């Protein structure tokens, strides 16, 4: 019997290719649902959260901060009830894995950007949201992945599906108890 | 000529302590007032009638911020130091297991994340010369690398967003000569939890004094690095 994965995404703005990639790569083992189909699921094994944030090139003198507030509401907060619903269904799932797709450009330590306030700030907020979720759910056996899409999505799903070793000698994959962001080359990025 | 500072969220707690500290150092202080019913700023004004100016300021409201900037302009001075202190904490935010209060989370973002940028945007035209110091009160709660909580979600998320916003400002304005401080004030005896919290580990006066020392010190080439520092001068990861 196939497991169930659920992709939570603001579809209208999101690259449909992503949904296709995830669907293709998980179809042999997973029945893929989109967030508006959450009511069809009785259990969820794999949850993928990818929230697309509009990008702009406005520097501080021109940025529309009220618009960023609105984006925070529509991109993230409006999806909280769906995420809460999905989490309740994951209690019945087997894998209990929660995955985020983000972008390492949203590294506060590393970014060189001088603009794109909405994307950058909301992404950082989502990173913290994911870290808080990790703190709350990891003790209950849930596992987490946060993938940077900067180098593309090809390696996202294999990373989501791989069970990482708990062996100390396998350093690259010994961080299941930590919350990290990795890119397409599996490099850990700073927050 | 006196140096000038604007302090947001100056009504009480840390903001009021910032005003006292800058006044004692001879600054002309513009105090952003949000709580009309709170009288401590007026009492402070009696002590410093010539050098304390109280202006209405709701950092989450674009119109209020612009009105405050217009009022500042009428004094015909430049701004040397901006202290973005105004912050909101609500301990009824909930968690994903108990249910997140999205209204509270939204308000935290408007005040703690975009609020400081709104004020910076409006007051930057008055900072083209002078000390050019942009100081932001953030929190260790916004440090993703140190995140240990599963609660206070809206507050933590808002402070992470603020840290990113300050990073973008830094990338643009530091090469132009602006100096940045990102400050974690510690667990301060203040009204952040609603009632005055005497159990906290540091007084607002002590935290403000430590902060202003950091805000005003000259760091030479180290100004080219953005750090999140606490009242001991210890650095927190982002």
């Amino acid at each position: 019997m196939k497991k169930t994965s659920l992709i939570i995404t603001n579809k209208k703005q999101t690259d449909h290719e992503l949904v296709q990639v995830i669907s293709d790569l998980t179809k042999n083992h997973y029945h893929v649902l989109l967030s508006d189909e959450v009511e069809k699921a009785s259990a969820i094994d794999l949850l993928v959260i990818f929230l697309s944030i509009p990008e702009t090139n406005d520097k501080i003198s021109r940025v529309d901060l009220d618009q960023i507030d609105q984006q925070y509401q529509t991109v993230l907060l409006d999806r909280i009830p769906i995420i809460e619903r999905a989490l309740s269904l994951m209690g019945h799932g087997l894998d209990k894995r929660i995955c985020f797709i983000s972008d390492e450009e949203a590294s506060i330590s590393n970014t060189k950007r001088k603009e794109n306030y909405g994307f950058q700030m909301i992404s950082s907020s989502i990173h913290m949201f994911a870290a808080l979720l990790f703190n709350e759910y990891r003790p209950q056996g849930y596992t987490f992945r946060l993938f940077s899409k900067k180098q593309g999505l090809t390696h996202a799903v294999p990373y989501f599906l791989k069970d990482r070793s708990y062996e100390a000698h396998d350093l690259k994959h010994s961080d299941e108890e930590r919350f990290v962001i990795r890119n397409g080359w599996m490099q850990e990025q700073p927050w | 000529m006196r140096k000038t500072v604007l302090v947001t969220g100056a009504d009480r707690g840390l903001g009021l302590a910032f005003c006292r500290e800058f006044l004692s150092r001879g600054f002309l202080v513009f105090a952003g007032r949000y709580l009309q019913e709170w009288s401590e700023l007026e009492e402070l004004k009696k002590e410093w009638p010539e050098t304390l100016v109280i202006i209405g300021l709701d950092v989450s409201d674009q119109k209020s911020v612009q009105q405050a900037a217009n009022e500042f302009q009428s004094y015909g001075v430049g701004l040397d130091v901006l202290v973005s202190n105004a912050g909101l904490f609500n301990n009824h935010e909930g968690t994903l297991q108990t249910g997140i209060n999205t209204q509270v989370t939204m308000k935290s973002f408007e005040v703690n994340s975009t609020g400081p940028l709104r004020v910076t945007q409006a007051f930057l035209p008055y900072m083209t010369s002078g000390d050019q110091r942009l100081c932001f009160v953030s929190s260790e709660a916004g440090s993703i690398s140190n995140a240990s909580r599963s609660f206070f979600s809206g507050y933590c998320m808002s402070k992470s967003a603020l840290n990113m916003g300050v990073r973008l400002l830094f990338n643009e304005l530091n090469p132009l000569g602006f100096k940045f401080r990102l400050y974690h004030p510690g667990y301060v005896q203040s009204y952040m939890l609603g009632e005055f919290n005497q159990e906290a580990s540091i007084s607002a006066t002590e935290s403000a004094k430590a902060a202003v020392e950091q805000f005003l010190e000259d760091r030479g080439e180290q100004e080219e690095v953005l750090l999140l520092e606490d009242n001991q001068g210890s650095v927190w990861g982002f």
Side-chain angles (χ1 to χ4, degrees):
Chain A
M1 184 179 154
K2 283 186 179 179
K3 299 171 185 174
T4 299
S5 66
L6 178 74
I7 304 171
I8 295 180
T9 180
N10 37 350
K11 270 199 309 182
K12 287 177 185 170
Q13 296 161 349
T14 298
D15 186 354
H16 284 257
E17 189 184 341
L18 164 75
V19 176
Q20 196 61 47
V21 166
I22 292 176
S23 298
D24 286 348
L25 288 171
T26 59
K27 67 183 178 187
N28 290 333
H29 303 288
Y30 287 85
H31 177 58
V32 180
L33 296 175
L34 294 171
S35 53
D36 53 1
E37 300 170 314
V38 65
E39 299 302 331
K40 295 179 183 174
S42 56
I44 292 171
D45 299 283
L46 178 74
L47 175 64
V48 178
I49 300 172
F50 175 57
L51 302 176
S52 178
I53 308 163
E55 303 205 34
T56 65
N57 59 6
D58 288 340
K59 294 183 178 178
I60 188 61
S61 61
R62 295 181 56 84
V63 65
D64 184 340
L65 294 156
D66 286 346
Q67 185 180 59
I68 292 175
D69 288 342
Q70 289 168 13
Q71 289 169 350
Y72 191 64
Q73 178 71 48
T74 55
V75 169
L76 178 58
L77 300 186
D78 284 353
R79 279 162 184 79
I80 295 284
I82 303 168
I83 295 171
E84 288 173 341
R85 169 69 178 153
L87 288 171
S88 71
L89 292 171
M90 290 191 84
H92 307 297
L94 295 173
D95 289 355
K96 293 184 169 59
R97 178 159 298 165
I98 300 170
C99 306
F100 287 82
I101 296 174
S102 184
D103 193 319
E104 64 202 80
E105 274 297 338
S107 162
I108 302 168
S109 302
N110 266 359
T111 188
K112 301 292 188 289
R113 285 182 172 171
K114 303 171 182 174
E115 66 292 302
N116 214 354
Y117 279 82
F119 175 87
Q120 298 288 130
M121 294 172 70
I122 295 170
S123 293
S124 293
S125 195
I126 290 172
H127 289 175
M128 175 57 88
F129 174 76
L132 297 167
L133 199 62
F134 175 90
N135 292 339
E136 189 171 10
Y137 282 85
R138 180 68 193 110
Q140 300 170 40
Y142 288 72
T143 54
F144 287 79
R145 303 286 184 270
L146 201 164
F147 182 80
S148 165
K149 63 179 175 58
K150 187 173 183 181
Q151 291 85 27
L153 294 167
T154 310
H155 299 291
V157 182
Y159 176 54
F160 293 164
L161 299 182
K162 178 179 171 59
D163 286 324
R164 295 149 93 184
S165 170
Y166 290 92
E167 299 300 319
H169 67 269
D170 188 0
L171 293 177
K172 185 185 282 188
H173 300 296
S174 65
D175 51 12
E176 195 70 271
E177 302 302 330
R178 304 166 58 231
F179 184 63
V180 299
I181 175 170
R182 290 193 185 276
N183 64 20
W185 299 317
M186 292 300 107
Q187 295 167 327
E188 182 176 341
Q189 298 296 304
W191 295 110
Chain B
M1 191 170 160
R2 288 183 186 277
K3 291 193 173 180
T4 55
V5 61
L6 169 68
V7 179
T8 70
D11 307 86
R12 58 188 186 182
L14 189 59
L16 190 70
F18 275 132
C19 291
R20 286 187 193 281
E21 183 63 27
F22 279 108
L23 287 165
S24 71
R25 289 169 180 258
F27 275 71
L28 174 59
V29 175
F30 292 84
R33 178 186 202 177
Y34 175 69
L35 301 168
Q36 296 302 319
E37 71 281 9
W38 204 263
S39 63
E40 285 187 82
L41 262 180
E42 267 140 13
E43 288 163 21
L44 188 63
K45 173 80 174 168
K46 290 174 188 168
E47 292 177 47
W48 304 88
E50 302 294 323
T51 53
L52 177 61
V53 178
I54 301 171
I55 55 177
L57 179 56
D58 174 357
V59 302
S60 68
D61 181 345
Q62 187 72 41
K63 191 174 171 185
S64 168
V65 172
Q66 196 52 57
Q67 282 175 346
N70 294 343
E71 189 174 342
F72 176 86
Q73 186 181 28
S74 70
Y75 285 84
V77 294
L79 184 62
D80 291 292
V81 185
L82 171 56
V83 179
S84 277
N85 164 74
L88 176 69
F89 176 87
N90 188 315
N91 58 5
H92 300 294
E93 293 172 333
T95 71
L96 277 163
Q97 286 189 338
T98 62
I100 286 181
N101 184 330
T102 54
Q103 279 186 317
V104 169
T105 302
M106 186 68 237
K107 193 62 189 173
S108 295
F109 190 83
E110 290 169 349
V111 174
N112 300 342
S113 311
T114 48
L117 298 186
R118 240 177 232 107
V119 176
T120 303
Q121 185 181 56
F123 282 83
L124 267 180
Y126 311 112
M127 300 185 77
T128 53
S129 58
D131 280 9
Q132 297 186 309
R133 294 183 185 274
L134 292 170
C135 310
F136 299 86
V137 176
S138 184
S139 172
E140 55 78 23
S143 167
I144 303 168
S145 56
N146 286 288
S148 58
R149 299 176 175 88
S150 57
F151 46 88
F152 302 155
S153 53
Y155 183 74
C156 295
M157 291 157 65
S158 71
K159 289 297 188 180
S160 299
L162 169 64
N163 292 346
M164 174 59 88
V166 174
R167 165 63 73 187
L168 301 181
L169 283 174
F170 177 88
N171 290 347
E172 180 182 352
L173 299 174
N174 180 256
L176 303 178
F178 282 82
K179 294 166 274 289
F180 283 76
R181 299 290 184 270
L182 196 49
Y183 183 66
H184 163 47
Y187 185 31
V188 177
Q189 295 163 10
S190 72
Y191 296 87
M192 279 290 277
L193 300 174
E195 299 295 315
F196 186 73
N197 177 12
Q198 282 188 310
E199 305 299 315
S201 56
I202 184 170
S203 72
T205 301
E206 291 170 310
S207 184
K209 189 174 179 60
V212 175
E213 287 285 342
Q214 293 182 26
F215 292 172
L216 299 182
E217 72 179 347
D218 286 320
R219 296 181 170 179
E221 290 181 357
Q222 290 180 22
E223 294 290 358
E224 295 171 17
V225 181
L226 180 66
L227 302 172
L228 172 59
E229 293 171 276
D230 65 20
N231 56 57
Q232 304 290 316
S234 298
V235 176
W236 292 73
F238 288 114

